[in-house]
């Protein structure tokens, strides 16, 4: 098979777009999945629980 | 250092030193009269020092099991000190090269001290010496605290730190004697590149092993950024440095890529070095030290996840904006331009997230210079990412490229964002690491802050003015259709801005020296605080059910 410049360009311009869209959808689902909310809230607060506050 | 290693680790460290020594002997012997042999001797010296250092400790008593109930902070302390030492050295080199542009006689007619050799000493020193050590040190700190787990062993963090600094020393000494592969931010030659690959893989494995030991069920977002930084830098470094040495006895190598492909690979590397070395890693710093210093959780955790994936997946495609109007296919340039503009979204999401976290705590920002360092870093991050997206647009690039505007943009990011967030992190980290009540002098932190901010502003405004004047002079035509100004005319017009730039850099350097002194005095002089019970990993913590 001979892969020329034009076919690579066509591939990048079409499938590259679809892949990024699909990827974006996955990230959005993960981020806004309702049951993840509790996990994220806990994660952002838990780093403050260790008494690493500035000493002044 | 070496007494904190177990006996097995000391033996293994001893063995590694012998291998390093043998590698140095090989390079020195094979090098002959080539500059390569100089590097052979430097590696020999490191091998010998490592050998005696570890041999000396070989039969000293082992650390007790009690160590496992504490975080392993010794390599972090060394990393902070090394980082500040590199900062002072490399920023001094920066002021020197900046002064050379205004007063060329400052090269003193030496080959080693010419602009072309000193300039990469400055860039490598600040990016890899100062920034890299800061990233390694803070990543060891953040991954342990957020995972609530100790680093899995005592040897590999030292191997990473020492090996990495050896790489930096090989890089910098090489430039002085004319060793370079002439790829921006990837100047070191093949043998140093191989060393870095080994070090970097060890680093990534160490990070993953620590994460695997975590007691906290969720991996905090700062770790995602650090991991993206380590993983992507490994990929970039390997691909961009595929090269064939002239022979095993020569420092010189030839890159595997040719022509425009080489340029594309180089700037895919170069821009992602900015993205993943100078952005992702430091965002990891931001997402940990900002909430900790402000004692407020990040404004939106979900937003931080979205910006993480946005940044990692958009940045990969932006590199070609460095090659507008070149032999690179037009659609590839357009691709780079488009992704650069899209990058503004996740970048501003991070900057906005940081500033919104501080919303409601502005009183603390006013009173606490450390928090102000972090706040200003977020502001400059927002400004430079906007500027970067703007400059990547092809017609804007026609004016800005090859001018001092680019230099101004880079320093807005490097001084305003990277260095400021690092100093903010260090001033948070140092008292806690060395178990001190506070920094030696809060007033000196304040002095450092204002010197750094004034220096950055003077520098950036000088380069904006100079760059736009340059760009306009180069494109001004006479009525007859010929260029109105010669290159020398534009050079003469730069003279006052070059002086201003050197002065701005000098202010920034003075601030860094003040900061280094303050950190040193904190280590040496400040009183011991009562050790905090909470600053230890959970030894047998029960995972919270339902996570």
């Amino acid at each position: 098979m001979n892969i020329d410049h034009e076919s690579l360009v066509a591939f990048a311009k079409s499938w590259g777009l679809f892949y990024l869209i699909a990827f974006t959808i996955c990230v959005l689902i993960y981020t806004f999945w309702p049951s993840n909310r509790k996990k994220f809230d806990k994660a952002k607060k838990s780093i403050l629980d260790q008494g690493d506050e500035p000493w002044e | 250092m070496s007494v904190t290693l177990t006996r097995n680790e000391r033996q293994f460290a001893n063995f590694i030193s012998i291998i390093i020594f043998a590698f140095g002997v090989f390079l020195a012997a094979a090098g002959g009269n080539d500059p390569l042999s100089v590097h052979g001797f430097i590696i020999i010296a490191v091998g010998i020092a490592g050998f005696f250092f570890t041999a000396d400790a070989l039969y000293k008593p082992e650390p007790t099991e009690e160590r496992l109930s504490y975080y392993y902070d010794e390599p972090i302390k060394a990393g902070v000190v090394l980082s500040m030492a590199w900062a002072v050295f490399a920023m001094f080199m920066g002021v020197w090269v900046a002064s050379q542009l205004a007063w060329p006689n400052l090269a003193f007619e030496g080959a080693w001290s010419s602009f072309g050799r000193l300039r990469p000493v400055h860039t490598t020193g600040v990016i890899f010496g100062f920034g890299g050590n800061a990233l390694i040190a803070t990543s060891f700190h953040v991954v342990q605290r957020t995972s609530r787990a100790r680093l899995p062993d005592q040897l590999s963090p030292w191997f990473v730190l020492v090996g990495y600094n050896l790489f930096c020393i090989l890089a910098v000494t090489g430039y002085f004697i004319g060793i370079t592969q002439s790829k921006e931010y990837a100047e070191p030659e093949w043998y140093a590149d191989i060393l870095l690959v080994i070090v970097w893989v060890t680093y990534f494995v160490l990070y993953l092993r620590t994460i695997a030991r975590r007691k906290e069920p969720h991996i905090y977002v700062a770790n995602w950024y650090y991991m993206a930084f380590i993983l992507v830098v490994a990929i970039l470094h390997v691909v961009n440095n595929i090269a064939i040495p002239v022979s095993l006895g020569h420092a010189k190598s030839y890159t595997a890529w040719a022509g425009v492909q080489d340029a594309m690979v180089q700037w895919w590397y170069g821009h992602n070095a900015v993205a993943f070395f100078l952005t992702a890693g430091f965002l990891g710093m931001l997402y940990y030290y900002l909430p900790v210093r402000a004692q407020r959780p990040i404004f939106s955790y979900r937003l931080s996840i979205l910006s993480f994936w946005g940044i990692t997946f958009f940045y990969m495609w932006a590199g070609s904006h460095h090659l507008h109007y070149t032999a690179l296919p037009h659609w590839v340039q357009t691709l780079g331009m488009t992704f650069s503009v899209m990058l503004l979204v996740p970048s501003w999401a991070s900057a906005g997230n940081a500033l919104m976290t501080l919303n409601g705590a502005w009183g603390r920002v006013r009173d606490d210079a450390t928090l102000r360092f972090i706040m200003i870093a977020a502001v400059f991050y927002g400004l430079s990412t906007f500027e970067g997206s703007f400059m990547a647009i092809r017609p804007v690039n026609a004016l800005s490229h090859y001018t001092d505007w680019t230099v101004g943009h880079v320093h807005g990011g490097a001084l305003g964002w990277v260095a400021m967030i690092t100093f903010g992190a260090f001033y948070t980290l140092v008292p806690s690491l060395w178990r001190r009540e506070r920094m030696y002098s809060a007033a000196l932190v304040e002095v450092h802050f204002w010197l750094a901010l004034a220096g950055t502003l003077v520098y950036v405004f000088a380069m904006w003015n100079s760059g736009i004047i340059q760009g306009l002079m180069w494109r001004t035509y006479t009525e007859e259709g010929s260029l109105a100004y010669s290159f020398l005319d534009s050079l003469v017009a730069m003279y006052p801005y070059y002086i201003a730039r050197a002065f701005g850099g000098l202010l920034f350097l003075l601030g860094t020296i003040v900061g280094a002194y303050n950190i040193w005095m904190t280590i040496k002089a400040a009183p011991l605080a009562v050790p905090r019970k909470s600053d230890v990993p959970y030894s047998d913590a029960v995972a919270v059910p339902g996570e």
Side-chain angles (χ1 to χ4, degrees):
Chain A
M1 199 178 81
N2 189 21
I3 305 170
D4 62 358
H5 178 75
E6 288 306 316
S7 49
L8 268 179
V9 169
F11 180 81
K13 283 181 175 177
S14 54
W15 292 106
L17 179 70
F18 294 138
Y19 135 81
L20 274 171
I21 290 174
F23 183 79
T24 308
I25 291 171
C26 293
V27 170
L28 285 171
I29 289 174
Y30 171 74
T31 309
F32 290 101
W33 197 259
S35 64
N36 280 344
R37 185 186 198 115
K38 218 179 91 190
K39 187 166 79 177
F40 294 157
D41 277 345
K42 186 173 176 293
K44 76 173 184 180
K45 295 205 178 76
S46 72
I47 61 158
L48 303 176
D49 289 348
Q50 52 192 349
D52 227 352
E53 68 277 345
W55 293 354
E56 44 186 38
Chain B
M1 163 198 163
S2 44
V3 289
T4 62
L5 270 60
T6 63
R7 187 149 300 151
N8 278 344
E9 288 171 335
R10 289 174 201 168
Q11 284 167 351
F12 195 44
N14 204 245
F15 177 67
I16 294 173
S17 305
I18 295 171
I19 300 212
I20 291 173
F21 172 78
F23 182 54
V25 168
F26 170 75
L27 288 186
N33 290 328
D34 194 84
L36 178 66
S37 66
V38 177
H39 276 170
F41 284 111
I42 290 177
I43 297 172
I44 289 175
V46 172
I48 291 177
F51 178 82
F52 282 108
F53 201 60
T54 48
D56 181 50
L58 215 47
Y59 296 105
K60 284 185 184 158
E62 285 205 274
T64 59
E65 289 296 310
E66 201 203 335
R67 75 177 190 278
L68 299 176
S69 48
Y70 294 95
Y71 292 128
Y72 191 44
D73 285 346
E74 274 68 21
I76 308 176
K77 293 177 181 173
V80 169
V81 172
L82 282 167
S83 175
M84 288 308 289
W86 275 106
V88 171
F89 163 74
M91 288 176 194
F92 167 76
M93 298 306 287
V95 175
W96 186 6
V97 285
S99 308
Q100 280 193 7
L101 287 175
W103 304 287
N105 287 340
L106 288 174
F108 308 117
E109 297 184 15
W112 67 272
S113 56
S114 56
F115 181 85
R117 292 194 185 179
L118 292 194
R119 190 248 177 199
V121 172
H122 163 62
T123 54
T124 299
V126 286
I127 297 172
F128 297 110
F130 166 54
N133 276 302
L135 286 170
I136 292 173
T138 56
S139 73
F140 287 163
H141 182 253
V142 170
V143 72
Q144 292 188 91
R145 267 64 182 183
T146 55
S147 303
R148 314 212 181 229
R150 183 183 160 92
L151 292 174
D153 70 296
Q154 284 80 226
L155 178 56
S156 41
W158 287 111
F159 178 76
V160 170
L161 200 63
V162 174
Y164 181 75
N165 280 281
L166 174 59
F167 166 79
C168 293
I169 286 170
L170 290 180
V172 163
T173 53
Y175 309 149
F176 285 125
I177 55 179
I179 298 176
T180 171
Q181 45 179 18
S182 307
K183 287 183 154 209
E184 200 164 16
Y185 314 127
E187 290 92 347
E189 274 290 358
W190 57 276
Y191 49 94
D193 289 338
I194 292 172
L195 168 72
L196 186 62
V197 172
I198 299 168
V199 167
W200 214 254
V201 170
T202 311
Y203 184 22
F204 191 56
V205 171
L206 171 64
Y207 209 90
L208 288 181
R209 283 164 69 209
T210 314
I211 295 272
R213 291 160 55 92
R214 73 186 184 279
K215 300 293 191 299
E216 191 77 59
H218 179 75
I219 302 173
Y220 184 66
V221 70
N223 290 309
W224 303 17
Y225 281 98
Y226 278 118
M227 273 193 286
F229 144 66
I230 304 170
L231 178 65
V232 176
V233 167
I235 298 169
L236 298 168
H237 174 74
V238 168
V239 175
N240 191 40
N241 286 301
I242 297 177
I244 300 164
V246 172
S247 80
L248 289 178
H250 280 81
K252 179 81 193 132
S253 69
Y254 288 92
T255 179
W257 323 103
V260 73
Q261 279 83 1
D262 185 33
M264 184 62 249
V265 171
Q266 157 60 24
W267 284 109
W268 167 77
Y269 164 88
H271 196 73
N272 283 309
V274 177
F276 288 90
F277 206 99
L278 296 176
T279 303
F282 290 93
L283 281 173
M285 238 184 240
L286 178 79
Y287 278 116
Y288 181 77
Y289 292 101
L290 168 70
V292 163
R293 187 72 191 187
Q295 279 300 292
R296 300 162 69 84
I298 195 77
F299 169 68
S300 167
Y301 195 78
R302 286 171 165 176
L303 192 57
S304 73
I305 295 174
L306 289 178
S307 31
F308 172 79
W309 290 111
I311 280 174
T312 40
F313 272 76
F314 288 175
Y315 254 124
M316 270 292 161
W317 303 94
S320 54
H321 71 224
H322 287 260
L323 297 164
H324 282 328
Y325 303 103
T326 64
L328 199 70
H330 201 255
W331 71 273
V332 183
Q333 300 177 25
T334 309
L335 182 81
M337 175 173 92
T338 313
F339 272 90
S340 307
V341 173
M342 281 153 58
L343 260 173
L344 191 58
V345 176
S347 303
W348 273 26
S350 282
N353 212 349
L355 294 176
M356 288 303 285
T357 304
L358 291 172
N359 201 14
W362 295 113
R364 301 198 50 198
V365 177
R366 185 192 58 210
D367 296 338
D368 180 7
T370 304
L371 198 53
R372 224 178 303 130
F373 264 114
I374 299 176
M375 188 275 283
I376 288 292
V379 170
F380 268 98
Y381 178 65
L383 288 175
S384 342
T385 48
F386 172 75
E387 191 187 24
S389 297
F390 184 60
M391 290 167 81
I393 299 169
R394 205 185 279 109
V396 181
N397 202 260
L399 176 67
S400 75
H401 206 183
Y402 308 116
T403 72
D404 287 334
W405 189 356
T406 304
V407 183
H409 167 62
V410 170
H411 283 83
L415 303 176
W417 154 239
V418 169
M420 296 278 190
I421 186 69
T422 304
F423 294 137
F426 279 2
Y427 286 135
T428 308
L429 183 56
V430 164
S432 136
L433 267 186
W434 273 275
R435 309 265 178 260
R436 302 291 188 262
E437 203 68 56
R438 60 179 75 83
M439 287 300 295
Y440 165 72
S441 161
L444 287 182
V445 179
E446 200 69 51
V447 169
H448 180 188
F449 174 80
W450 289 108
L451 281 172
L453 182 61
T456 307
L457 290 176
V458 170
Y459 191 111
V460 171
F461 274 96
M463 290 295 94
W464 276 341
N465 276 302
S466 146
I468 290 172
I469 290 174
Q470 246 178 337
L472 291 176
M473 286 178 88
W474 292 346
R475 58 156 61 174
T476 304
Y477 289 89
T478 60
E479 280 180 17
E480 290 77 39
S482 60
L483 285 169
Y485 302 100
S486 72
F487 182 75
L488 271 184
D489 291 334
S490 72
L491 203 58
V492 171
M494 299 304 95
Y495 184 61
Y497 301 111
Y498 283 163
I499 295 174
R501 180 249 289 270
F503 177 67
L506 179 66
L507 291 182
F508 202 91
L509 168 67
L510 291 176
T512 305
I513 292 171
V514 169
Y517 171 76
N518 202 1
I519 289 174
W520 189 248
M521 293 306 283
T522 307
I523 298 171
K524 285 292 152 207
L528 275 166
V530 184
R532 289 171 303 174
K533 265 279 184 249
S534 53
D535 205 10
V536 295
Y538 289 0
S539 49
D540 48 1
V542 188
V544 184
E547 290 292 331

